[in-house]
Amino acid sequence: MYGLVLEGGGARGAYQIGACKALQELGLPIGAVTGTSVGALNAAMIVQGDIDKTYQLWENISPAKILAVDEERLLELRQQHLNTSNLSYYLKRFREILGDGGLDVTPLRALLEENVDEDKVRQSAIDLGIVTVSLSDFKPLELFIEDIPEGRLADYLMASAGFPAFKPELMDGKRFIDGGFHDNLPVNLMISRGFTDIIVIRTFGPGRVRKVMKKGLHVKTISPVDDLGGILDFDGDLAKRNLQLGYFDALKLFQGLDGNRYYLDPKINEEFFMQMLINLTEKKVLSIGKILGFRGLPYRRMLFEQIVPQIRELLKIDRKANYAEFSILLLEEIAIRNQVDRFKIYTLEEFLAAIKAQYIPHRGPVRPELPDVLKRGRLAPLLAREKIINEVIYQLFEEIL
């Protein structure tokens, strides 16, 4: 039985529900869900057994369903890139933009009251835990459903999601603020319930993530490699994209799929790619070396001592990546550049065929012409970098594409 932990992150919460849909399809048993902010809102819907309904809500999300604010103000807010390092600055900026006490989230409350069924949550076999902070008492609150007074679940969910740019939530005369100020990723709250097998879904939203001290945990983390967008960017198309990312990232983790931004059947033989590199002709290697500004070494040494490390540097590929992982990342670069559909599980043969179907190779010389030293590593100018990468990748995979 797993405990599921959902991080706060505003509009990025669509990613969590995409992942939860995959967990549901995989039949993974969930015994409790803890969440902060949007993680708490999603958690309540999961606990009451409405993952599919929540998926549809996120598919059809729009700013007007969350915020009562004019489009000009909303556009400026959506363009802010909030993180832990600039939180204070942007909170001040939010107040300047709004000037009237905060964003009106009446539509969000209406959405909660329409869709969260408190009776279902209380009767569910899945436990619910949320985090908020009482500003009036200067006290964090980590609450399970039995700690929340009857009939007040929607109030406490709104309190957990009380982002400082929103108009403050008042309950019994007390003011509450977003639980992310205490713990945006409530793993410790889950541990307090006795769970040691835990699934964490990250959004990397702004907020405090408290250190977990307990040993003996088995934590599986679903996290995006993509930017999920701004925390106030409740755009429908972005939400649909994030739902798919969450869904396939969860499948990748639990089905052991390969790939970084694509999803590949794990039956990929490293020997295939090693032989592909070894079988490159001397002419081919020297041609790639020339593109990258290398000369003077025997071609095999040049390939493994200079070319491969240089490509790792250009594409920021982990040095620990084996040759299969290295080659897959290069193929993904081709796929991304040629808009190959990401949201599908491919065999290697299917992936190569999909790339080949859309790939238009760059066959001309690398432009602009540069001194060799400027083609290397971080010195490669940005304007030439993409052209260098495109040409090198084409040369490497010309025969199999």
Side-chain angles (χ1 to χ4, degrees):
M1 188 72 71
Y2 287 101
L4 177 63
V5 180
L6 306 180
E7 187 171 22
R12 302 173 191 176
Y15 180 83
Q16 297 172 344
I17 294 301
C20 288
K21 183 173 177 64
L23 299 181
Q24 180 184 55
E25 291 178 4
L26 292 168
L28 298 177
I30 303 297
V33 189
T34 59
T36 298
S37 195
V38 73
L41 309 186
N42 282 335
M45 294 295 290
I46 293 164
V47 167
Q48 73 182 38
D50 282 331
I51 290 176
D52 290 340
K53 180 180 181 180
T54 313
Y55 193 99
Q56 292 173 0
L57 289 172
W58 277 107
E59 276 189 314
N60 295 290
I61 203 72
S62 68
K65 292 181 178 179
I66 305 297
L67 307 167
V69 62
D70 67 68
E71 288 298 318
E72 185 175 335
R73 284 184 173 182
L74 182 60
L75 178 61
E76 188 170 353
L77 289 169
R78 285 170 62 183
Q79 290 172 342
Q80 311 302 326
H81 296 286
L82 189 68
N83 55 51
T84 53
S85 65
N86 63 23
L87 182 62
S88 296
Y89 169 80
Y90 279 123
L91 291 181
K92 180 181 178 182
R93 182 69 186 123
F94 286 150
R95 294 189 188 101
E96 292 172 355
I97 295 170
L98 299 170
D100 60 357
L103 286 167
D104 183 349
V105 288
T106 301
L108 174 59
R109 175 174 279 278
L111 193 69
L112 275 180
E113 291 178 348
E114 181 181 349
N115 291 285
V116 174
D117 186 325
E118 182 169 339
D119 290 337
K120 280 187 178 180
V121 173
R122 292 188 182 278
Q123 294 165 13
S124 175
I126 304 173
D127 204 357
L128 172 67
I130 67 171
V131 181
T132 187
V133 175
S134 170
L135 276 182
S136 301
D137 298 325
F138 298 102
K139 179 182 178 182
L141 300 176
E142 296 182 330
L143 306 169
F144 284 96
I145 187 62
E146 67 269 19
D147 303 316
I148 297 173
E150 294 274 352
R152 304 296 297 275
L153 177 58
D155 293 332
Y156 278 87
L157 291 175
M158 289 295 294
S160 181
F163 185 65
F166 297 165
K167 287 184 178 179
E169 284 293 314
L170 293 174
M171 287 191 294
D172 302 323
K174 294 183 178 181
R175 182 180 175 183
F176 291 80
I177 197 169
D178 197 292
F181 281 87
H182 172 63
D183 192 354
N184 206 38
L185 189 69
V187 175
N188 287 303
L189 183 58
M190 182 64 70
I191 293 170
S192 74
R193 236 15 176 206
F195 285 85
T196 56
D197 293 317
I198 297 172
I199 300 170
V200 171
I201 306 180
R202 301 298 309 266
T203 63
F204 301 106
R208 181 180 183 183
V209 175
R210 302 183 73 87
K211 189 172 183 179
V212 176
M213 303 299 293
K214 184 176 177 63
K215 297 181 179 180
L217 300 176
H218 306 285
V219 179
K220 294 182 179 293
T221 302
I222 302 168
S223 63
V225 297
D226 295 67
D227 182 352
L228 298 180
I231 60 173
L232 294 177
D233 197 356
F234 293 98
D235 174 76
D237 290 338
L238 178 61
K240 290 183 179 73
R241 196 275 317 243
N242 288 345
L243 286 165
Q244 290 184 298
L245 282 174
Y247 179 83
F248 279 93
D249 283 353
L251 291 182
K252 178 187 289 185
L253 177 65
F254 284 94
Q255 294 184 344
L257 302 177
D258 286 326
N260 181 40
R261 297 181 69 185
Y262 284 82
Y263 307 91
L264 308 178
D265 187 294
K267 303 181 185 67
I268 294 176
N269 187 350
E270 183 178 3
E271 184 67 21
F272 171 85
F273 291 106
M274 187 64 170
Q275 285 300 316
M276 183 198 72
L277 292 172
I278 290 172
N279 291 337
L280 290 172
T281 65
E282 180 176 3
K283 181 179 178 181
K284 176 76 70 178
V285 173
L286 294 178
S287 174
I288 296 170
K290 183 179 179 181
I291 294 169
L292 293 172
F294 295 124
R295 292 178 175 84
L297 280 183
Y299 81 98
R300 285 276 172 79
R301 283 189 59 193
M302 180 184 291
L303 175 63
F304 291 102
E305 295 179 18
Q306 293 181 321
I307 291 174
V308 170
Q310 178 66 15
I311 295 171
R312 289 181 189 271
E313 176 71 23
L314 283 169
L315 295 178
K316 298 179 174 60
I317 297 174
D318 192 331
R319 293 182 181 182
K320 296 179 181 179
N322 62 36
Y323 286 109
E325 294 165 338
F326 170 81
S327 300
I328 291 297
L329 286 168
L330 295 187
L331 286 170
E332 287 189 332
E333 289 293 328
I334 301 175
I336 290 165
R337 285 165 167 75
N338 290 275
Q339 299 182 341
V340 173
D341 182 15
R342 288 180 64 186
F343 299 119
K344 176 182 176 181
I345 298 175
Y346 294 93
T347 64
L348 177 58
E349 293 75 14
E350 290 169 341
F351 193 45
L352 291 172
I355 295 172
K356 185 175 182 179
Q358 294 186 224
Y359 183 51
I360 302 174
H362 171 72
R363 294 183 181 274
V366 178
R367 302 291 184 191
E369 291 294 343
L370 300 166
D372 289 348
V373 68
L374 291 182
K375 295 179 181 178
R376 298 175 191 155
R378 295 174 183 173
L379 294 176
L382 292 177
L383 289 176
R385 189 183 186 94
E386 286 296 305
K387 295 179 180 179
I388 292 170
I389 291 169
N390 285 343
E391 180 67 9
V392 168
I393 291 174
Y394 168 70
Q395 293 284 345
L396 280 172
F397 293 105
E398 182 179 24
E399 293 180 9
I400 64 172
L401 292 178

